[in-house]
Amino acid sequence: METEEIVNRVAGSGIISLDLEELYHPGERVLYDIKDNLWQGMILREKDFREFLKAHDWAQYQDQNIAIICSEDAIVPTWAYMLLAVQLEPFANTIVFGDLNALEDKLFTNAIQQIDPEEYRGKRVVVKGCSKVEVPISAYVEISRILKPVVQSLMFGEPCSTVPLYKKPKSSVASSAD
């Protein structure tokens, strides 16, 4: 009895698999809640806040990713958030105004913006759908926006089972080869 050779058609298809999970920034995520700086839980007093800023050990935020919020319905002037950013900037990896979800969005967006879309020009790309790390939907939207103008086709899922998202029209392929 003759055995048939098993052929991996996915490997020979020329499809490039892009795993957004690989863009995950491993640094610690910290939620800085300005409510802890409020006087009587209601307002931020400038003098007290500036004293806190001078006395606080900002080095503890070295290489961390910081999301700044105020979880209380309080009067917090815009400059207070700006002062926090000024103090955190020499130490933190990333600083955002918003919750931890906004922080993840920013970290993934920063990583995606480092990708050179030209590496994918004319290629068939599948953006991997399953991951151990939760990849924000915003990252999938951003990678689609960046890759669509350069790829031959864009898919979502796994190379063996994809959802087609975009295929460059035939006329665009012919004219780009000229």
Side-chain angles (χ1 to χ4, degrees), residues 31-165:
L31 186 66
Y32 185 95
D33 194 341
I34 205 167
K35 77 174 172 92
D36 299 330
N37 301 108
L38 298 176
W39 179 73
Q40 295 185 348
M42 296 175 25
I43 63 170
L44 188 89
R45 296 195 324 187
E46 183 177 1
K47 182 180 177 190
D48 296 342
F49 188 57
R50 287 189 181 271
E51 286 174 13
F52 164 77
L53 294 174
K54 285 180 188 172
H56 191 69
D57 176 20
W58 297 102
Q60 67 182 302
Y61 300 100
Q62 187 68 47
D63 299 324
Q64 294 181 350
N65 301 295
I66 313 294
I68 302 171
I69 65 162
C70 183
S71 62
E72 293 292 326
D73 186 18
I75 300 167
V76 179
T78 303
W79 55 258
Y81 297 108
M82 294 171 71
L83 278 172
L84 278 174
V86 166
Q87 295 300 316
L88 288 164
E89 186 277 328
F91 304 102
N93 175 60
T94 301
I95 307 163
V96 299
F97 174 76
D99 61 13
L100 292 173
N101 290 329
L103 179 60
E104 282 306 319
D105 288 348
K106 178 68 172 166
L107 290 169
F108 272 97
T109 298
N110 288 352
I112 289 168
Q113 289 174 347
Q114 299 302 310
I115 291 174
D116 180 6
E118 288 302 315
E119 291 180 28
Y120 299 94
R121 181 164 296 282
K123 306 282 198 251
R124 297 170 60 208
V125 179
V126 59
V127 178
K128 190 174 175 189
C130 297
S131 60
K132 295 176 187 103
V133 172
E134 187 173 334
V135 176
I137 293 173
S138 63
Y140 291 105
V141 170
E142 183 66 7
I143 197 69
S144 300
R145 185 189 69 77
I146 287 173
L147 291 181
K148 182 195 172 264
V150 298
V151 298
Q152 171 63 35
S153 63
L154 186 62
M155 299 160 275
F156 174 78
E158 301 299 322
C160 61
S161 175
T162 61
V163 175
L165 303 172

